[in-house]
Amino acid sequence: MHHRNTTILIVDDEQEIQELVGLYLKKEGYHVCEAYNAEEAFDQLRRYQPDLIILDVRLPDLDGIELCRQIRHRTDAPILFLSCKDSELDKVVGLNVGGDDYVGKPFSIHELLARIQAHLRRYKSHLHSFIGNNNQVLRSDSILLNPKEHECYVRGEPIFLTTKEFQLLHFLMKHPRQVFNADHLLEKVWGRDSETDIHTVMVHIGRLRKKIEKEPKHPSIIITIRGTGYKFNEKVQ
């Protein structure tokens, strides 16, 4: 198996875990980067934009749960929690802040590898199926969106969008001036079998507005039609 183009970030302050997990992942052909605390994690996130993140719940400088919440603003890559505390409460909290899975320590390395592969497969197939053949550049008065290169320019300035933010904007720009409720957007962008809810859609709309609107509190590009839903309010070519 060759996963040379796939980068996995391990965030754990225990050197033995880093070495053990890192060794097996490298053997499988993954590119591995390491962080021993939250500060290093942000640095590696910027540098490598990993495809998957393994995250310890307990870190020396920042709670792993809080770190997960902050990472979610920067990437949609799957996040797998590692934790000694294998309690239901931790699982629920971890998944609520944007984690995708939860593995209790001590864990079987083979189970961890299987879960990593499953999450990467799902993540990558969703990326490919979403954009599919829709590679053409979309232009409106304010925005230029290039799906092939995952580039977004707002009034000529490059803007970083997470995968989900990009997919949501792409969907709205493909259907300009049409109104979609949150349920419809959830199905089209997150997928029918998604375990998330419409609150996630609203959060992503809010994040997009902060990045693309001149006045996010008084949006003119992605507008809300009261009681109906959202629409992309510029002409697209």
Side-chain angles (χ1 to χ4, degrees):
M1 299 265 306
H2 292 288
H3 305 286
R4 289 251 171 259
N5 299 332
T6 303
T7 300
I8 295 178
L9 169 61
I10 310 171
V11 188
D12 198 312
D13 63 332
E14 287 185 63
Q15 191 150 1
E16 304 78 37
I17 296 279
Q18 285 279 11
E19 285 174 3
L20 173 73
V21 177
L23 185 74
Y24 275 92
L25 290 175
K26 285 170 189 165
K27 218 160 88 176
E28 289 287 313
Y30 294 106
H31 176 254
V32 176
C33 49
E34 299 168 350
Y36 288 85
N37 54 46
E39 193 185 347
E40 288 177 8
F42 288 126
D43 192 42
Q44 299 284 52
L45 205 60
R46 270 192 303 274
R47 191 176 300 175
Y48 294 107
Q49 295 192 328
D51 300 281
L52 182 138
I53 299 153
I54 297 170
L55 177 57
D56 194 340
V57 170
R58 281 187 174 170
L59 293 168
D61 56 343
L62 185 67
D63 178 41
I65 299 287
E66 182 51 38
L67 176 58
C68 179
R69 188 183 275 121
Q70 293 186 27
I71 285 175
R72 261 296 159 253
H73 292 295
R74 295 166 167 82
T75 178
D76 283 300
I79 296 173
L80 270 66
F81 277 113
L82 290 182
S83 172
C84 306
K85 305 174 296 176
D86 196 14
S87 75
E88 283 305 316
L89 176 69
D90 277 330
K91 286 186 187 181
V92 170
V93 171
L95 300 179
N96 277 348
V97 294
D100 294 273
D101 208 343
Y102 200 99
V103 181
K105 292 181 186 175
F107 54 84
S108 143
I109 193 76
H110 298 294
E111 187 200 344
L112 183 64
L113 284 174
R115 295 220 203 162
I116 286 169
Q117 283 162 1
H119 281 286
L120 283 170
R121 209 165 34 239
R122 197 176 310 151
Y123 179 59
K124 293 198 165 174
S125 76
H126 191 62
L127 291 190
H128 292 311
S129 68
F130 184 86
I131 301 294
N133 298 319
N134 298 321
N135 272 338
Q136 77 265 35
V137 172
L138 300 174
R139 287 184 184 82
S140 75
D141 293 340
S142 310
I143 296 170
L144 185 148
L145 205 63
N146 182 346
K148 203 170 183 183
E149 304 298 329
H150 192 94
E151 289 173 344
C152 176
Y153 293 87
V154 178
R155 293 173 286 279
E157 294 290 314
I159 300 290
F160 172 74
L161 296 178
T162 67
T163 309
K164 275 288 174 282
E165 288 165 356
F166 196 95
Q167 290 176 344
L168 181 57
L169 183 57
H170 183 266
F171 180 78
L172 290 169
M173 287 184 76
K174 287 284 289 180
H175 306 89
R177 306 268 165 85
Q178 288 183 44
V179 181
F180 296 99
N181 66 26
D183 276 321
H184 194 141
L185 292 173
L186 186 65
E187 183 184 322
K188 291 294 182 188
V189 179
W190 277 261
R192 191 165 290 169
D193 59 348
S194 168
E195 288 173 19
T196 187
D197 57 24
I198 61 168
H199 176 68
T200 305
V201 178
M202 292 152 80
V203 168
H204 277 73
I205 292 278
R207 280 196 218 152
L208 263 182
R209 282 173 170 162
K210 278 186 187 151
K211 293 181 178 185
I212 69 175
E213 300 278 0
K214 279 184 177 166
E215 292 182 66
K217 290 202 167 126
H218 306 284
S220 62
I221 302 172
I222 298 176
I223 63 171
T224 303
I225 308 299
R226 194 177 287 281
T228 314
Y230 305 99
K231 83 167 170 178
F232 188 84
N233 203 35
E234 292 187 343
K235 193 175 162 197
V236 176
Q237 23 177 321

